[in-house]
């Protein structure tokens, strides 16, 4: 193959994916708080995956490790600190993943984040 292009199978994941996320926050002594929202991802031909709305109010970007990715973000709830991890897999035109994290309120009460997200290539 002279003068042709070289492709790798991972580049077939490139594109825009849209779907939804459901995130739960359980703070000790408080009712479970659930939030569901729409999400979008973009995957570049260089295997970079980015999103502006998986973690509301934050842009996150990372390089795919094979089909998998992990994105971390600081908790942005009022009066709380902590970290949330979004772990996902890209497979057959779909992104699926889980949400896990911990938070502490300004009064020192601990909280836990859990949840799931999924998106389909447009």
């Amino acid at each position: 193959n002279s003068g042709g292009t070289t492709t790798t199978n991972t580049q077939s994941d490139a594109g825009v994916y849209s779907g939804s996320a459901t995130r739960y926050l359980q703070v000790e002594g408080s009712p479970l708080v659930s939030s569901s929202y729409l999400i979008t991802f973009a995957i570049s031909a260089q295997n970079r995956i980015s999103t502006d709305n998986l973690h509301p109010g934050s842009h996150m970007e990372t390089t795919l490790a094979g089909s998998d990715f992990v994105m971390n973000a600081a908790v942005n709830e009022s009066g709380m600190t902590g970290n949330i991890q979004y772990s996902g897999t890209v497979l057959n035109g779909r992104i699926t993943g889980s949400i896990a994290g911990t938070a502490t309120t300004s009064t020192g009460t601990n909280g836990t984040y859990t949840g799931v997200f999924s998106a389909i290539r447009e």
Side-chain angles (χ1 to χ4, degrees):
N1 183 356
S2 61
T5 57
T6 303
T7 59
T8 61
N9 59 2
T10 54
Q11 289 180 343
S12 65
D13 292 328
V16 175
Y17 295 71
S18 58
S20 62
T22 302
R23 191 171 73 180
Y24 303 95
L25 172 59
Q26 179 68 65
V27 175
E28 291 173 12
S30 299
L32 181 70
V33 176
S34 166
S35 57
S36 295
Y37 48 95
L38 297 177
I39 57 171
T40 54
F41 291 94
I43 300 178
S44 72
Q46 293 76 37
N47 290 330
R48 296 286 294 170
I49 182 168
S50 63
T51 177
D52 288 324
N53 47 19
L54 178 60
H55 185 72
S58 298
H59 173 82
M60 295 189 297
E61 188 172 322
T62 190
T63 301
L64 286 170
S67 326
D68 300 324
F69 64 92
V70 175
M71 296 177 174
N72 292 291
V75 169
N76 54 7
E77 314 276 341
S78 178
M80 299 183 76
T81 58
N83 189 65
I84 303 176
Q85 186 174 77
Y86 300 86
S87 304
T89 301
V90 183
L91 186 65
N92 298 329
R94 286 184 70 86
I95 295 174
T96 55
S98 61
I99 302 170
T102 56
T104 305
T105 66
S106 56
T107 58
T109 306
N110 291 322
T112 304
Y113 283 95
T114 56
V116 294
F117 59 91
S118 64
I120 298 173
R121 184 165 48 204
E122 294 179 356

